[in-house]
Amino acid sequence: MKKFAIIFPLILLAACGQAPEAQPVPSETVAAAPVKPSLPAPDQENFAAAFAKACPTADKVNISVCKRAGLGSTDVICEYGLGKDEYMRHNATLTPSEGVWTVADPKTTCAEHGAE
């Protein structure tokens, strides 16, 4: 028993004196991508301007409501009414282009109103 009482503390000291494990080498951190300024949410004024630019001979936009096309989508779907019409009977898709909202398919959208 005396031998055990002498050897046991030595074993404990030997176990505590082991070299620490090597620390993992930190990898290079990737810098976050710069945040691009986003376009403002298209309101009636933005949609009316984009529509007037795409279809200059069509009636003016009287009323419009826009919403995102889907989760993660950059496009916006707008329902709108023209002239004196107070109902939103038409649809158009806006897409960001060079920092402004533009009508995604102006040929089709304008043809719908007889303004090509």
Side-chain angles (χ1 to χ4, degrees), residues 27-53:
S27 61
E28 292 183 27
T29 56
V30 178
V35 177
K36 295 179 182 177
S38 62
L39 289 171
D43 56 9
Q44 185 167 331
E45 184 179 318
N46 292 336
F47 175 73
F51 184 82
K53 185 176 180 181

Side-chain angles (χ1 to χ4, degrees), residues 26-112:
S27 61
E28 292 183 27
T29 56
V30 178
V35 177
K36 295 179 182 177
S38 62
L39 289 171
D43 56 9
Q44 185 167 331
E45 184 179 318
N46 292 336
F47 175 73
F51 184 82
K53 185 176 180 181
C55 309
T57 59
D59 289 339
K60 291 185 179 182
V61 173
N62 180 37
I63 187 168
S64 68
V65 174
C66 300
K67 59 185 173 186
R68 289 282 174 192
L71 187 62
S73 176
T74 57
D75 291 345
V76 178
I77 297 173
C78 298
E79 296 178 0
Y80 61 96
L82 299 175
K84 295 181 181 181
D85 191 0
E86 51 189 58
Y87 298 104
M88 295 181 282
R89 302 176 195 271
H90 310 285
N91 293 320
T93 302
L94 292 184
T95 190
S97 175
E98 299 178 14
V100 294
W101 290 108
T102 58
V103 177
D105 188 7
K107 187 174 183 180
T108 304
T109 302
C110 296
E112 181 181 334

